[in-house]
Amino acid sequence: MSWRKEHGRAERGYHHGNLKEALLQAALGLIAEKGAAGFTFADAARMAGVSAAAPYRHFRDRDELLSSIAQRGFEQFEARLSAAWDDGRPDTVTAFERVGKAYLAFAREEPAFYNAMFESGVPVDANAALQAASERAFNIIRAAAERLAALTPPGTPRPPAMMMALHIWSMAHGVASLFSRGDAARRKLPMSPDELLEAEVLIYLRGLGFPIDRRPATKGAEPPPVPPEASSGSGVPPGGPWGKPK
Amino acid sequence: MSWRKEHGRAERGYHHGNLKEALLQAALGLIAEKGAAGFTFADAARMAGVSAAAPYRHFRDRDELLSSIAQRGFEQFEARLSAAWDDGRPDTVTAFERVGKAYLAFAREEPAFYNAMFESGVPVDANAALQAASERAFNIIRAAAERLAALTPPGTPRPPAMMMALHIWSMAHGVASLFSRGDAARRKLPMSPDELLEAEVLIYLRGLGFPIDRRPATKGAEPPPVPPEASSGSGVPPGGPWGKPK
DNA sequence: CAGCTCATGTGAACGACCTTTACATGAGCC
DNA sequence: GGCTCATGTAAAGGTCGTTCACATGAGCTG
């Protein structure tokens, strides 16, 4: 990471050369440590080695920095969800499950982004670009829901894809913010957040009429152990998506 | 509301007489207005008509005030959930749905409490009393899940009640924080948060094997239009818990 | 290369906040 | 009446966010 023409050390003169980026990175680190609320503009400046006033050349104020981070977060979020969805391969339900996992993974692995995106108090409509990025991310979930909705077994009414998408989003966000992050993760649970969400989504999908067999936490994303798509089983197989019923 | 011996005006001398309570009220108002992040200790003091140092006689610091509010919030939350659950009357599913509605209603009607409880960054385990209050509130949901789990139709495996409770909580919290409050409420939705959550829970319950018929938003909580409990219908009735399928 | 210009960084200053400390007040009790 | 201690105040130190006048020097123009 060279942030100056001369690559190596922090030999910087009057001008930083890459302050905007440095501030974003510093802020990211600080938010990860202390949360968006605890993050301070002055600290970011200090960390970048500039005076407290310098950041104002690149961001109107502290909120704009925050919303920049949120926007970047949504962009990376979209990328990860998109990769997880992988256009529905190898089969729609498996890919859908993978999106749920990716959601939690992002919340866990990128706490600073997630915090800025959903917990910092930055209004989504603060910025047109931010809102657009947010919508693009949601559209991945929505597209997945669309495909899934199209697969409803014959004889079953087709749920509105938008509603499904909102449902899935709320489940993922609920699990992430209640059980998968920071202080909240300290709550004692009978199962991991990932398992919790997976079971939740599977039960939900079954409620929509999808033939779901028990298969929690089949790790790896390669070959599905069961034939994809049209494995129309009975409505309620013995043993749910949760572990083993006692 | 007399906050002094002499009931009437704000004729207060050197001592306030009820400062702790006055500060809590003031803080509640301020948080409702500007969020827990924007709320300031000094403002609360001003609003109570005392110097900025006075609050320190009643709260170790700003965070302690915040966590006091969160604790109170959990207590009221518990009361409302408990009232909504009404020990499962008139039937378990109806009462369960009512709990979901009560969750959203609380989030909407008591934004300051909800904010302090879930969005202020106050760690749940900051305080033993806070944690206890939080657990008592969750136990309402848990108890309801317990009763519901016991009702799983014959031939269907019984889901762990704890898991159900966590699922329901995550749905309610997800919908509340994404769609039902503050800035988030500005997202354009095809249906109200209440309807969204109701449909979500119903689909979920159906996924668990409960015979759920379509019946969104039957308002009032008195006589159920269908015979309660053991109306074991077919697994997937035509027309889901959402509106009319096109 | 001289000179200009403008983006970028600095230092100082203001007001607000959080918190601590030494001191003031007066309510309740002997 | 006088003591005591919970409760309030004023003042001060440290941090922030933000603004403003001013400094620097990178890059263009000729």
Side-chain angles (χ1 to χ4, degrees):
Chain A
M1 291 168 194
S2 66
W3 59 85
R4 189 105 173 81
K5 296 171 180 175
E6 350 286 325
H7 56 321
R9 286 299 72 180
E11 223 63 75
R12 108 172 158 75
Y14 196 85
H15 289 86
H16 183 290
N18 216 357
L19 186 51
K20 185 162 191 170
E21 192 54 34
L23 287 172
L24 286 167
Q25 293 304 324
L28 216 43
L30 290 170
I31 294 174
E33 272 182 48
K34 310 185 286 187
F39 147 76
T40 137
F41 217 27
D43 245 345
R46 236 184 317 268
M47 189 156 304
V50 296
S51 75
Y56 289 85
R57 295 295 175 195
H58 300 275
F59 302 95
R60 196 176 345 88
D61 55 21
R62 182 179 174 282
D63 282 349
E64 195 184 86
L65 204 186
L66 230 46
S67 92
S68 283
I69 291 196
Q71 181 184 334
R72 255 181 211 221
F74 277 114
E75 284 159 6
Q76 298 209 14
F77 194 44
E78 181 202 355
R80 293 195 47 169
L81 293 186
S82 181
W85 170 235
D86 192 22
D87 204 35
R89 279 178 288 262
D91 68 285
T92 309
V93 172
T94 299
F96 203 72
E97 278 296 320
R98 219 168 35 213
V99 171
K101 285 217 172 71
Y103 195 114
L104 287 193
F106 184 85
R108 200 181 325 106
E109 293 162 22
E110 299 288 358
F113 278 133
Y114 200 84
N115 193 320
M117 291 156 64
F118 293 114
E119 304 164 347
S120 66
V122 171
V124 202
D125 53 359
N127 178 334
L130 174 59
Q131 188 160 13
S134 157
E135 275 170 22
R136 274 194 304 271
F138 173 65
N139 279 341
I140 303 293
I141 299 178
R142 187 182 168 156
E146 210 98 49
R147 287 271 289 279
L148 204 50
L151 276 186
T152 41
T156 314
R158 176 159 308 172
M162 180 55 142
M163 183 193 75
M164 283 183 61
L166 294 172
H167 283 163
I168 296 296
W169 191 14
S170 70
M171 292 181 205
H173 181 71
V175 170
S177 58
L178 285 178
F179 312 118
S180 189
R181 338 196 35 258
D183 331 310
R186 289 182 218 153
R187 295 186 214 267
K188 44 181 188 282
L189 295 181
M191 52 207 301
S192 77
D194 281 73
E195 293 168 326
L196 195 65
L197 179 60
E198 180 171 21
E200 187 169 352
V201 172
L202 287 177
I203 294 168
Y204 174 82
L205 291 182
R206 199 161 52 177
L208 285 177
F210 288 92
I212 299 292
D213 47 355
R214 151 201 35 189
R215 175 196 37 168
T218 326
K219 79 164 89 174
E222 307 311 334
V226 282
E229 310 301 356
S231 66
S232 69
S234 67
V236 180
W242 52 90
K244 22 188 156 333
K246 279 187 178 170
Chain B
M1 294 168 195
S2 67
W3 59 85
R4 188 108 174 79
K5 296 173 179 177
E6 351 284 325
H7 56 320
R9 285 300 75 182
E11 224 63 75
R12 110 173 154 73
Y14 196 85
H15 288 86
H16 183 289
N18 215 357
L19 185 51
K20 185 161 189 170
E21 192 54 34
L23 286 172
L24 286 167
Q25 293 304 325
L28 215 43
L30 290 170
I31 294 174
E33 270 182 49
K34 310 185 287 186
F39 146 76
T40 138
F41 217 28
D43 245 346
R46 235 185 318 268
M47 191 158 301
V50 297
S51 75
Y56 289 85
R57 295 295 176 195
H58 301 274
F59 302 96
R60 195 175 348 87
D61 55 21
R62 182 180 174 283
D63 282 349
E64 195 183 87
L65 204 184
L66 230 45
S67 92
S68 282
I69 290 195
Q71 181 183 335
R72 255 182 210 219
F74 277 113
E75 285 159 4
Q76 298 210 13
F77 194 44
E78 182 201 355
R80 293 197 44 172
L81 293 185
S82 181
W85 170 235
D86 191 22
D87 204 37
R89 278 178 287 262
D91 68 285
T92 309
V93 172
T94 299
F96 203 72
E97 278 296 319
R98 219 169 33 214
V99 171
K101 285 218 171 70
Y103 195 113
L104 288 193
F106 184 85
R108 199 180 325 105
E109 293 162 22
E110 300 287 359
F113 278 133
Y114 201 84
N115 193 319
M117 292 157 65
F118 293 114
E119 304 164 345
S120 67
V122 172
V124 201
D125 53 358
N127 179 333
L130 174 59
Q131 188 159 14
S134 157
E135 275 169 24
R136 274 194 303 273
F138 173 66
N139 279 342
I140 303 295
I141 299 179
R142 186 183 168 155
E146 211 98 49
R147 286 272 288 280
L148 204 50
L151 276 186
T152 41
T156 314
R158 176 160 308 173
M162 180 54 141
M163 184 191 75
M164 282 183 61
L166 294 172
H167 284 163
I168 296 297
W169 192 14
S170 69
M171 291 182 206
H173 181 72
V175 169
S177 57
L178 285 178
F179 311 118
S180 189
R181 337 195 36 256
D183 333 309
R186 290 182 218 154
R187 295 186 213 268
K188 45 183 188 282
L189 295 180
M191 52 207 300
S192 78
D194 281 73
E195 293 168 325
L196 195 65
L197 179 61
E198 181 170 21
E200 188 170 352
V201 172
L202 287 177
I203 294 169
Y204 173 82
L205 292 181
R206 199 163 52 177
L208 286 176
F210 288 91
I212 299 292
D213 48 354
R214 152 201 34 188
R215 174 197 38 167
T218 327
K219 77 164 91 175
E222 306 312 332
V226 281
E229 312 303 358
S231 68
S232 69
S234 68
V236 180
W242 52 90
K244 18 188 157 348
K246 277 187 179 173

